[in-house]
Amino acid sequence: MQRLIAILGLTLLSTVLPGEVATASPALGFDLDRATIPQLQRLMDRGSLSSVRLTQTYLDRIKTVDVKVNAVLKVDDTALAQAKASDQRRRSGHSRGPLDGIPVLLKDNIDTRGLTTTAGSRALLGSPPSADATLVARLRQAGAVVLGKANLSEWANFRSTHSTSGWSGVGGQTNNPYVLDRNPCGSSSGSGAAVAASLAQVAIGTETDGSIVCPSAANGIVGHKPSLGLVSRTGVVPISLEQDTAGPMARNVEDVAITLSVLQGRDRSDKATLAYPSTQPTDYASAIRPRALRGARIGVWRNAGVDKDVDRIVERNVSLLRAQGATVVDVDLPYQAEIAEVEFPALITEIARDLPIYLQHRPRAPQTIQALVDFNRRDPVELSKFGQELFEQAATAPGPDDPTYRRQRQTTTTLARRSIDETLAAHHLDAIIAPTNSPAWPTDYTAGDAYILGTSTPAAASGYPSTTVPAGYVGHLPIGLSFIGPQWSDAKILSLAAAFEKAYPIRHAPRYLPTT
């Protein structure tokens, strides 16, 4: 067994560092934190591992480790039965592909048959959705084990101007597993923290602006925000159908690429998915080129001067990219101030338009923004940490036919696309890199989130792809590097990110420190 694991490149059981929670499992014989999906599949194909054993190991970790992190809202009681069915398919020669038997967590704003889907709000605690979101159906068709639901920032962090990321009325506060009193960032906070803590092999997050890439970077993992339209949003609680997308989060780029291959697909119920070109790859992992950085032209959007420690990490990353054969030039993305003025008010109108449409298939929930506002005022938990200023604005927001709103949306999308497209063209670039985040801040319900540096808006508002990869640490706190590209360049961006990850495998498992 040990010889087989060594051949497959898995890390054998090792000494646990002070403060670290072991991810090396005696039951499995290797380190979960470093195992990739292809390595797990080879073990299962050869009979050295079963999906049941793998799933049970993750369930055991949720019981023991999640008391520190509080990332998992609900475990699916059928997870082991799903795993058993996967093992039976494999024995009969009918495995469904690389995700068959792999445990996946879902952010709790993604409809899941038989599991409550709440967006973190107690207003949605009633009956579970009657059907899976399209992306969940695709995961099930691929044989993935739906392990359960991950906590999130309530209503995807779009309820209050002074919210605290990682808190929901249903799940309470998710903690950053690297330093537990630090914030996990972004609305996909539970997905990011769970993957970092090896509570699932893969998780699915969602993003409107930053909510995949920020929690991925802050929790030291890989996250991919796809091109808008690559992944169906049907059955996902919305903020804005102009910017929302779901995407994969994992501990390595290869697992993210494999999962994206399953999530991708056209859906007649989501017209955005009908727009992507037929030339898009169906297997993103196979599209990864090991030497993708050689000969590539990369623009670096430094955001220098915001955080000196991040500046040092970016400069080190630039030197690394050049050593791998890339040409790196400094760039400054234009129009950011203009975008910042109009994106937010546009989103207010869009949640007022899109959320009530979703609520129609949750008939036991409040059906309007105003009804949600009223529910929260009556509830003993919902307003206990911060308010609902954004919901109150949305309740009286101008409609989608309002001329001011239409100008705001057109300006947001157009300038975000121009900021990327014009920069790429002017410097003949393959991609743009930027620091994803500054170090995670202490969770503080009085002050709320303390964002210092974020670079998610150009890709988010344009609908273009972005992949964040672990790039360094400030003390014990992870920093990510984002690879941003033009529309439908997901395969190229993942390939560049994978080459960077291979050249600089800096990520390590969290140590669950109580404070810095």
Side-chain angles (χ1 to χ4, degrees):
M1 175 66 175
Q2 288 190 344
R3 180 175 179 272
L4 174 62
I5 294 171
I7 291 171
L8 295 177
L10 293 174
T11 302
L12 296 175
L13 300 177
S14 57
T15 303
V16 179
L17 296 171
E20 187 176 352
V21 176
T23 53
S25 168
L28 299 179
F30 60 83
D31 191 340
L32 270 182
D33 181 76
R34 300 188 184 186
T36 68
I37 288 174
Q39 291 166 345
L40 296 173
Q41 290 292 350
R42 288 193 289 270
L43 287 174
M44 289 192 283
D45 285 344
R46 298 175 188 185
S48 301
L49 177 68
S50 68
S51 177
V52 167
R53 286 176 62 204
L54 180 62
T55 301
Q56 185 63 64
T57 300
Y58 277 122
L59 291 171
D60 291 343
R61 283 188 62 80
I62 290 170
K63 289 179 182 178
T64 56
V65 176
D66 200 40
V67 295
K68 295 175 178 285
V69 181
N70 195 38
V72 180
L73 277 179
K74 169 71 175 175
V75 167
D76 191 331
D77 293 335
T78 72
L80 288 175
Q82 296 174 57
K84 183 178 180 181
S86 173
D87 290 335
Q88 291 172 340
R89 286 193 297 272
R90 194 178 304 273
R91 285 194 296 269
S92 65
H94 295 95
S95 180
R96 296 178 179 175
L99 269 193
D100 204 342
I102 301 298
V104 178
L105 276 172
L106 306 172
K107 185 177 178 179
D108 196 41
N109 63 346
I110 300 171
D111 283 357
T112 311
R113 185 183 69 249
L115 288 178
T116 303
T117 299
T118 68
S121 171
R122 289 155 58 89
L124 297 184
L125 273 173
S127 300
S130 59
D132 284 329
T134 299
L135 73 87
V136 178
R138 293 185 65 84
L139 289 168
R140 292 193 197 276
Q141 289 164 5
V145 174
V146 175
L147 198 60
K149 305 302 284 287
N151 196 24
L152 70 160
S153 306
E154 184 168 321
W155 293 113
N157 229 3
F158 208 77
R159 197 193 77 183
S160 172
T161 56
H162 300 288
S163 62
T164 299
S165 290
W167 185 88
S168 74
V170 173
Q173 181 66 50
T174 295
N175 303 315
N176 189 310
Y178 283 86
V179 182
L180 295 170
D181 69 352
R182 295 294 176 125
N183 198 268
C185 191
S187 75
S188 303
S189 43
S191 298
V195 169
S198 296
L199 305 182
Q201 189 69 23
V202 177
I204 309 302
T206 67
E207 175 164 330
T208 305
D209 189 340
S211 285
I212 289 175
V213 296
C214 189
S216 295
N219 292 282
I221 64 168
V222 179
H224 182 69
K225 198 286 291 183
S227 293
L228 185 70
L230 205 60
V231 178
S232 170
R233 288 86 53 84
T234 301
V236 179
V237 182
I239 291 177
S240 164
L241 294 181
E242 312 302 326
Q243 294 185 197
D244 291 351
T245 185
M249 304 164 72
R251 292 182 290 277
N252 61 82
V253 176
E254 188 172 27
D255 285 6
V256 161
I258 288 169
T259 307
L260 182 64
S261 301
V262 169
L263 296 178
Q264 173 186 323
R266 301 191 195 277
D267 175 8
R268 292 183 180 178
S269 298
D270 183 352
K271 64 181 182 180
T273 67
L274 306 181
Y276 74 77
S278 58
T279 54
Q280 281 295 106
T282 57
D283 185 345
Y284 286 92
S286 295
I288 289 175
R289 296 190 297 109
R291 296 185 178 183
L293 290 171
R294 182 168 297 179
R297 286 185 59 84
I298 308 292
V300 54
W301 183 33
R302 293 178 184 267
N303 290 261
V306 178
D307 186 296
K308 62 181 181 180
D309 293 314
V310 174
D311 291 346
R312 284 196 291 268
I313 289 172
V314 171
E315 184 56 37
R316 184 170 66 235
N317 296 161
V318 167
S319 298
L320 174 72
L321 290 167
R322 287 174 174 154
Q324 294 298 307
T327 299
V328 184
V329 298
D330 281 84
V331 299
D332 188 18
L333 269 62
Y335 314 124
Q336 298 311 301
E338 294 92 330
I339 296 168
E341 288 183 6
V342 292
E343 180 194 20
F344 188 78
L347 294 175
I348 291 287
T349 287
E350 286 155 6
I351 193 172
R353 176 195 66 194
D354 296 336
L355 181 54
I357 294 172
Y358 166 84
L359 292 171
Q360 290 174 9
H361 84 278
R362 302 294 300 277
R364 297 185 62 181
Q367 293 295 293
T368 66
I369 301 287
Q370 185 60 54
L372 290 170
V373 168
D374 295 340
F375 176 92
N376 292 338
R377 288 172 178 164
R378 296 190 302 268
D379 189 85
V381 175
E382 288 294 346
L383 302 182
S384 62
K385 301 297 185 185
F386 46 82
Q388 55 179 341
E389 300 86 1
L390 300 185
F391 268 20
E392 289 166 350
Q393 291 177 39
T396 59
D401 294 327
D402 178 75
T404 299
Y405 158 71
R406 293 172 71 87
R407 286 194 298 271
Q408 290 166 343
R409 170 44 59 193
Q410 183 177 19
T411 300
T412 298
T413 304
T414 300
L415 290 186
R417 290 179 175 179
R418 286 180 60 188
S419 72
I420 296 173
D421 292 341
E422 291 175 8
T423 302
L424 292 170
H427 299 276
H428 308 288
L429 303 176
D430 295 291
I432 297 163
I433 61 168
T436 312
N437 63 310
S438 50
W441 57 87
T443 296
D444 184 341
Y445 299 115
T446 300
D449 286 339
Y451 290 105
I452 297 174
L453 187 155
T455 57
S456 61
T457 295
S462 63
Y464 289 2
S466 176
T467 303
T468 183
V469 185
Y473 293 85
V474 175
H476 298 283
L477 297 167
I479 302 297
L481 185 71
S482 286
F483 288 77
I484 303 165
Q487 190 175 34
W488 313 124
S489 65
D490 299 70
K492 176 181 282 189
I493 294 304
L494 285 165
S495 193
L496 292 169
F500 173 82
E501 176 189 60
K502 182 179 180 181
Y504 192 47
I506 194 172
R507 184 187 175 275
H508 63 72
R511 297 173 187 169
Y512 309 90
L513 302 176
T515 190
T516 54

